[in-house]
Amino acid sequence: MSSSPTPAVPVLNIANILTVVRILLVPFFIWFLLLDDANGGLFRWLAVLTFAVAIYTDKLDGDLARSRGLITDFGKIADPIADKLLIGSALVLLSVLGELWWWVTIVILVRELGITVLRFAIIRYGVMPASRGGKLKTVVQTVAILLFLLPLQGLGDWAWWAAAVVMAAAVVITVVTGIDYIVQAARLRAGARR
């Protein structure tokens, strides 16, 4: 008695649609943020709202893909690309606008791109899954970016300092998890060569 093959998951499913929506929201986010005068105007709030909705789709599409068995190769590739586009554009724009230090943006983006390249380089030895630390990094980066996106000028210095402390934590977690991924990759490669 032979078992029937598992049916293929269609690429056009709700999880992948949400990922594509996130990618499509990035230009709107950029546009709203660039149109604002950074004084808490309508466009700044639209940028905050667009970022929040887009980042929520990241959680939602992952939850749906796992719970409904909708994991596809397209989703495995498009989801991290969507994340990098959203987070990367937010960091770069905040730096362009003079609201975030460039070194923070550079450290985070170099880590993100470096780990992405590393994952592709070692894929022949095995898959390096996202770690708990990597997920924590994403959450802390997201909170830090949201805090920097909020028009904090009217709230006093404490609001800016709160955003800066959360961003500092994001940078530390980003670097530490980056090092952890490099160690994991080395172990994976060494284990595969035995």
Side-chain angles (χ1 to χ4, degrees):
M1 185 164 137
S2 68
S3 64
S4 61
T6 306
V9 176
V11 173
L12 188 60
N13 65 56
I14 187 65
N16 288 343
I17 290 169
L18 287 170
T19 299
V20 171
V21 166
R22 186 162 67 257
I23 292 169
L24 295 174
L25 285 172
V26 170
F28 290 98
F29 164 71
I30 292 169
W31 184 59
F32 292 146
L33 194 55
L34 290 176
L35 283 177
D36 188 62
D37 58 7
N39 291 319
L42 173 65
F43 288 111
R44 185 62 172 234
W45 285 107
L46 287 172
V48 170
L49 179 64
T50 304
F51 183 86
V53 167
I55 208 69
Y56 180 70
T57 66
D58 184 30
K59 177 180 177 7
L60 188 57
D61 69 13
D63 289 348
L64 287 171
R66 285 184 293 278
S67 69
R68 297 185 182 183
L70 300 175
I71 297 170
T72 64
D73 288 340
F74 172 82
K76 290 177 187 176
I77 294 169
D79 187 70
I81 290 171
D83 297 345
K84 308 265 185 293
L85 285 172
L86 183 61
I87 298 289
S89 64
L91 292 169
V92 168
L93 285 173
L94 286 168
S95 293
V96 165
L97 295 172
E99 299 176 30
L100 180 65
W101 309 277
W102 272 107
W103 69 266
V104 169
T105 296
I106 291 166
V107 166
I108 292 174
L109 291 182
V110 164
R111 184 270 192 206
E112 296 299 329
L113 296 174
I115 296 305
T116 299
V117 168
L118 179 65
R119 282 182 167 180
F120 281 115
I122 65 147
I123 196 123
R124 66 178 167 249
Y125 302 113
V127 175
M128 196 168 57
S131 67
R132 285 187 194 158
K135 292 174 183 176
L136 174 65
K137 172 216 48 120
T138 301
V139 169
V140 177
Q141 281 180 0
T142 299
V143 171
I145 289 168
L146 276 168
L147 288 172
F148 268 93
L149 286 172
L150 289 171
L152 301 175
Q153 298 82 357
L155 299 176
D157 288 343
W158 70 269
W160 183 87
W161 280 105
V165 166
V166 176
M167 186 59 79
V171 170
V172 169
I173 294 168
T174 298
V175 170
V176 168
T177 58
I179 293 167
D180 181 54
Y181 278 122
I182 291 168
V183 170
Q184 283 183 47
R187 288 181 183 151
L188 189 62
R189 184 174 182 217
R193 287 189 161 186
R194 288 184 209 170

